[in-house]
Amino acid sequence: MTEETMKLRLRYVVEDTDRHGNVRLYYRRHGRKVRLRGPTGSPEFLTDYRRAAAGPKEPKSTTKRAGRVRPDTFHWLCTQYYKSSMWAGLDPKTQKTRRAILERFALHNGNGDKPFRMMLARHIRKRLDEMMATPEAANSMVKVLRQLFRFAVTYDLADTNPAKDVELLKSNPDGYHSWTLAEIEKFEETHPEGSTARLALALALYTGQRRSDLVLFGKQHVQKGWLVFTQQKGKGRNPVRLEIPIVPELERIIEASETGDLAFLVNAYGRPFTNAGFGNRFRKWCDDAGLKHCSVHGLRKAAAARLAELGCTEFEIMAITGHQTSKEVTRYTKAASQKVRAQAASEKMRAGQS
């Protein structure tokens, strides 16, 4: 054994014997243990030792990458936006969505490395046309770009907002499919009372809330027969606090179901669902019932339509759904309202003929 090897053995080299009696060599320091090839003093041993002593390679720093962003490029503008108070005032969920949209736009055709001041409305329209197959996603892109360049104009980084005058694509005017009574009954036939799926259906149908609220509902929100909560959407900027009476049918289904301590809806591990996790699980529940065109958001629309059919005014419906303007409620309840008005007109005609 050489003098160099003797010094190496004294510096963090240890021997362990496995259950088969084989001696293993390791470099162990500060809780880190790295396997060394033997025998001690061999070229392989020395190579492994020097590599272990040097420590693991540090991952590439995202900060360094950010530091290499060239000024005045689209990427640079995004980084400035992320540092602004306009960005800080957004909901974390909104931030995540907008960042993803901006990153996709930056990656497309090298947009991220192009000067943002050279971007024109025609450039955005071209990308919009390429996304015609997914009009909702295309329109979301335009809306986010409008906000980005609104920031740029506000902070004197740009003179104009090229996305401001880009026309949005026409999308499905009816939005999400609203569940019919037959579809609700089909779901209930597939998922009996006591199941998490049936509880989820009842919570969505009898409260008219978004899935981001449904996954948080629990016993702590129940006060003397009322569901008292603040909606998650816009909670950081424009909080909407609601008090909704718990109808007997919903109360009965909650009592018949296994629920968690702080959340009515829990997954197979007894933990509350995440927003995305619940969406995926509800998608499967719908597919199991043969309702591939139905969604949890469609139940929110169905709840509003049901209230309209019962003769509720738009403001009464808004008191349940939490909408701040009647525009969306009108779109949700258009067909139902027509049915109510037609029924009223028919009754007046019969009365006039008698």
Side-chain angles (χ1 to χ4, degrees):
M1 186 177 296
T2 65
E3 183 179 352
E4 180 183 10
T5 304
M6 289 295 293
K7 291 180 181 179
L8 293 179
R9 282 186 60 83
L10 295 176
R11 300 180 63 184
Y12 319 118
V13 177
V14 297
E15 294 181 353
D16 283 348
T17 304
D18 64 17
R19 60 191 180 91
H20 300 294
N22 299 315
V23 177
R24 308 288 190 187
L25 297 170
Y26 294 93
Y27 177 94
R28 185 165 61 193
R29 186 182 184 189
H30 301 315
R32 187 170 61 92
K33 191 175 180 182
V34 181
R35 175 76 181 275
L36 305 175
R37 290 174 293 175
T40 304
S42 66
E44 294 81 7
F45 172 86
L46 294 175
T47 298
D48 290 352
Y49 177 85
R50 293 189 179 97
R51 185 179 295 121
K57 291 183 178 179
E58 294 185 2
K60 292 182 179 179
S61 170
T62 55
T63 303
K64 290 181 179 178
R65 284 202 301 270
R68 289 201 298 266
V69 173
R70 294 201 306 273
D72 299 328
T73 61
F74 182 84
H75 262 142
W76 179 86
L77 179 62
C78 290
T79 61
Q80 302 309 303
Y81 182 38
Y82 301 150
K83 298 175 186 176
S84 71
S85 58
M86 292 176 67
W87 178 264
L90 299 174
D91 222 40
K93 182 180 177 181
T94 302
Q95 289 180 346
K96 182 178 179 181
T97 302
R98 287 193 183 181
R99 187 187 289 267
I101 291 173
L102 290 172
E103 288 180 354
R104 283 196 295 271
F105 183 83
L107 288 173
H108 178 75
N109 203 26
N111 287 329
D113 296 323
K114 296 177 181 178
F116 70 87
R117 293 188 187 90
M118 300 294 290
M119 187 173 294
L120 302 174
R122 60 184 175 87
H123 299 135
I124 300 173
R125 287 194 187 96
K126 181 180 179 182
R127 179 56 183 150
L128 192 72
D129 291 343
E130 294 171 348
M131 300 174 66
M132 286 176 57
T134 54
E136 293 294 341
N139 290 340
S140 294
M141 175 199 70
V142 175
K143 292 174 184 178
V144 171
L145 288 175
R146 286 175 181 174
Q147 294 304 313
L148 174 67
F149 280 95
R150 185 169 76 87
F151 154 78
V153 173
T154 301
Y155 281 72
D156 293 326
L157 299 175
D159 296 326
T160 59
N161 185 337
K164 184 178 179 181
D165 297 324
V166 175
E167 306 79 8
L168 298 179
L169 296 176
K170 290 184 178 180
S171 56
N172 180 4
D174 297 325
Y176 287 93
H177 166 72
S178 179
W179 291 51
T180 64
L181 181 59
E183 289 166 343
I184 293 173
E185 291 175 347
K186 190 174 182 181
F187 189 98
E188 291 176 338
E189 290 172 0
T190 306
H191 305 289
E193 285 188 21
S195 65
T196 305
R198 184 65 168 273
L199 175 59
L201 176 82
L203 283 170
L205 189 61
Y206 293 115
T207 69
Q209 300 306 306
R210 304 176 184 87
R211 71 183 187 188
S212 57
D213 296 308
L214 298 178
V215 297
L216 296 180
F217 285 155
K219 298 174 183 177
Q220 70 275 17
H221 295 108
V222 179
Q223 298 181 18
K224 297 181 180 180
W226 290 69
L227 202 60
V228 181
F229 64 100
T230 299
Q231 289 186 327
Q232 291 300 297
K233 184 174 182 179
K235 185 177 180 180
R237 293 180 294 111
N238 185 27
V240 176
R241 186 176 184 274
L242 294 178
E243 297 184 25
I244 301 175
I246 301 175
V247 298
E249 176 68 6
L250 175 58
E251 184 177 18
R252 184 179 64 79
I253 292 177
I254 292 176
E255 291 178 354
S257 307
E258 290 189 17
T259 63
D261 293 331
L262 295 178
F264 292 134
L265 296 170
V266 291
N267 59 26
Y269 301 100
R271 303 192 191 100
F273 282 100
T274 62
N275 191 2
F278 176 67
N280 293 334
R281 177 53 57 178
F282 202 90
R283 174 73 272 142
K284 184 179 185 305
W285 290 331
C286 289
D287 291 345
D288 291 343
L291 303 170
K292 295 187 180 298
H293 59 295
C294 292
S295 67
V296 65
H297 195 83
L299 284 170
R300 175 170 166 82
K301 187 173 180 180
R306 174 179 286 187
L307 292 172
E309 288 182 357
L310 293 173
C312 295
T313 66
E314 288 185 350
F315 285 106
E316 288 172 336
I317 296 172
M318 289 164 62
I320 295 291
T321 62
H323 285 101
Q324 297 301 286
T325 65
S326 60
K327 179 180 178 181
E328 191 71 7
V329 172
T330 300
R331 187 165 69 88
Y332 276 9
T333 61
K334 183 178 180 181
S337 298
Q338 180 274 325
K339 182 178 179 181
V340 171
R341 290 193 294 269
Q343 177 69 26
S346 177
E347 291 175 355
K348 289 179 180 178
M349 281 194 297
R350 285 198 298 269
Q353 293 172 355
S354 60

